[in-house]
């Protein structure tokens, strides 16, 4: 009994060390348990992949061939290690013929796919949202890109920092990174695919600015204070797992001038359409399948079924609302345009969802909303508009208000000066703010996915 009392006295007299030791012990035990469970889970996935690889194959049938575009710089250069540890073993155990092409610089994934001549059954992107967007852009910029996109599936191995598309394709595994990687890899092996919408972003010609080539995305566009703050979260790396929370505290407290506190734009949009004579020519998903042309992938493309043939002749349907163009002046601190790929609202009519919050936001509301998003809650943007195409013309942000005006709105975060370069995000990649035309291309690409969890 005396020894027990002495132990408690020692702990009480050294309470700081005791607390630190307890926290370290709990963290260590939790880490070891997670590592053990992850190893057991990967063993189960490997067994499932091995069974597929050892299944008998007809003599005249060749192994599937896939081309993996790997971005080693993704997720702070952890992508290559994660691919080799959690994805590659499953692909090889399943008997797939894998050609890994490693990118060496930003934008190279787009160039590689634009110029790809290798015969392959599927293209698999090992990276984040940005690398996936580059791959889709490279594919659709090809002369035969649209035909290829509708026939040959794409895969994504979410080894990037932001993986919004993968987390929606494999939503049941989104909270466990290792399980997410394994499920995404097994989806490639099992070949289940479904069509996803694509958003075409084309810069609108303005004074001194030509349109240029389009960029294609699967998730959407973000613009404003919350987007800018989230992009700066790594600046507060010394806060560890709390860096996201710290970013909102300091951004709002300092009234960062490099953050877009006021988004101002003139917007034109057309309402969604389920298919009619007006949009028939632009909507390839309304067309019967065309005869497959000979191209670099055709010799290996017979394995995958074609797109679903529409049962309705949309050339005879009339929808007067499809031609409608509506105008709106946007003034907000938070602007978002997303596809149904990442929206939780499931609608049969293909559509873009435009949403934005209030024009001014107080410091308390800014931090509160930022912390909500850090906790995984959906953004609070009360104004929502549905559209099939959107045109945005940014308006130069106004300068700081004078002291008299500022004093009457002291609870609001100040507006940044107009001479600072502003940015938007397309699929979590940074682009300079310019006038842009966003067009929805429904069901244009086929992506591997899992209809259910492979290993529970």
């Amino acid at each position: 009994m005396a020894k027990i009392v002495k132990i408690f006295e020692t702990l009480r007299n050294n309470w700081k060390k005791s607390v630190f030791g307890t926290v370290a012990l709990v963290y260590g035990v939790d880490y070891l348990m997670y590592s053990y469970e992850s190893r057991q889970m990967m063993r189960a996935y490997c067994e499932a992949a091995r069974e597929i690889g050892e299944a008998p194959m007809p003599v005249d049938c060749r192994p599937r061939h896939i081309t993996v575009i790997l971005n080693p710089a993704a997720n702070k250069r952890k992508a290559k290690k994660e691919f080799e540890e959690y994805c590659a073993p499953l692909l090889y155990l399943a008997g797939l013929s894998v050609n890994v092409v490693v990118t060496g610089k930003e934008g190279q994934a787009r160039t590689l796919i634009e110029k790809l001549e290798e015969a392959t059954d599927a293209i698999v992107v090992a990276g984040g949202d940005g690398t996936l967007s580059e791959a889709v852009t490279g594919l659709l910029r090809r002369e035969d890109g649209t035909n290829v996109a509708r026939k040959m599936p794409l895969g994504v191995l979410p080894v990037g920092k932001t993986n919004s598309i993968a987390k929606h394709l494999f939503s049941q595994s989104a909270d466990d990174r290792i399980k997410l990687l394994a499920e995404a890899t097994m989806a490639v092996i099992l070949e289940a695919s479904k069509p996803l919408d694509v958003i075409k972003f084309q810069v609108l010609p303005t004074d001194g600015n030509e349109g240029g080539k389009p960029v294609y995305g699967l998730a959407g566009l973000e613009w404003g204070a919350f987007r800018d703050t989230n992009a700066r979260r790594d600046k507060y790396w010394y806060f560890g797992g709390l860096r996201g929370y710290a970013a909102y505290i300091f951004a709002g407290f300092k009234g960062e001038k490099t953050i877009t506190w006021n988004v101002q734009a003139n917007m034109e949009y057309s309402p969604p359409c389920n298919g009619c004579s007006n949009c028939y020519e632009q909507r390839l998903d309304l067309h019967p399948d065309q005869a497959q042309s000979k191209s670099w992938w055709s010799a290996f493309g017979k394995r995958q079924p074609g797109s679903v043939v529409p049962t309705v002749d949309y050339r005879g349907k009339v929808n007067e609302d499809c031609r409608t163009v509506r105008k709106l002046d946007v003034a907000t601190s938070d602007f978002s345009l997303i596809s149904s790929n990442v929206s939780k609202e499931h609608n049969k009519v293909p559509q873009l969802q435009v949403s934005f919050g209030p024009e001014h936001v107080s410091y308390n509301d800014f931090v509160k909303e930022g912390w909500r998003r850090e906790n995984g809650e959906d953004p609070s943007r009360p104004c929502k508009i549905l559209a099939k195409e959107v045109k945005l013309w940014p308006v130069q942000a106004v300068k700081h208000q004078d002291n008299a005006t500022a004093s009457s709105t002291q609870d609001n975060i100040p507006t940044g000066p107009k001479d600072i370069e502003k940015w938007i995000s397309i699929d979590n990649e940074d682009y300079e703010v310019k006038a842009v035309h966003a067009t929805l291309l429904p069901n244009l690409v086929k992506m591997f996915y899992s209809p259910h969890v492979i290993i529970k």
Side-chain angles (χ1 to χ4, degrees), residues 261-311:
W261 297 110
N262 290 87
V263 171
Q264 297 183 359
N266 300 321
M267 185 173 78
E268 291 183 0
Y269 67 96
S270 299
C273 178
N274 200 29
C276 69
S277 57
N278 179 58
C279 56
Y280 178 81
E281 292 300 327
Q282 292 77 28
R283 292 266 307 269
L284 295 179
D285 60 311
L286 304 180
H287 293 208
D289 270 352
Q290 303 294 326
Q292 183 174 316
S293 61
K294 277 286 181 181
S295 59
W296 56 274
W297 61 277
S298 59
F300 292 82
K302 296 179 181 179
R303 183 185 301 269
Q304 293 295 332
S307 304
V308 177
V309 178
T311 57

Side-chain angles (χ1 to χ4, degrees), residues 24-39:
L25 179 62
V26 171
Y27 177 81
V29 171
D30 184 67
Y31 176 78
L32 291 174
M33 287 295 296
Y34 178 73
S35 298
Y36 173 77
E37 292 172 357
S38 297
R39 286 196 299 270

Side-chain angles (χ1 to χ4, degrees), residues 67-81:
T67 300
V68 176
I69 307 296
L70 171 62
N71 178 9
N75 193 25
K76 300 180 180 178
R77 300 195 173 276
K78 298 177 184 177
K80 188 172 185 290
K81 180 181 178 182

Side-chain angles (χ1 to χ4, degrees), residues 348-386:
K348 293 183 179 180
V349 180
Q351 57 191 232
L352 298 172
Q353 179 177 294
V354 179
S355 57
F356 46 92
E359 180 177 1
H360 300 291
V361 58
S362 68
Y363 173 73
N364 289 338
D365 289 341
F366 175 73
V367 174
K368 183 179 179 180
E369 173 63 15
W371 284 22
R372 284 183 65 257
R373 299 185 187 190
E374 286 295 314
N375 291 331
E377 298 183 40
D378 294 333
S380 176
R381 302 185 184 105
C383 300
K384 294 185 179 181
I385 295 172
L386 302 180

Side-chain angles (χ1 to χ4, degrees), residues 205-222:
T206 55
D207 294 339
N209 177 40
E210 297 183 359
K213 293 183 178 181
V215 172
Y216 297 87
L218 297 176
L221 177 151
E222 291 188 352

Side-chain angles (χ1 to χ4, degrees), residues 52-74:
I52 296 173
E54 292 179 352
M57 180 181 295
V59 177
D60 59 344
C61 185
R62 57 169 185 81
R64 284 176 63 210
H65 178 85
I66 65 171
T67 300
V68 176
I69 307 296
L70 171 62
N71 178 9

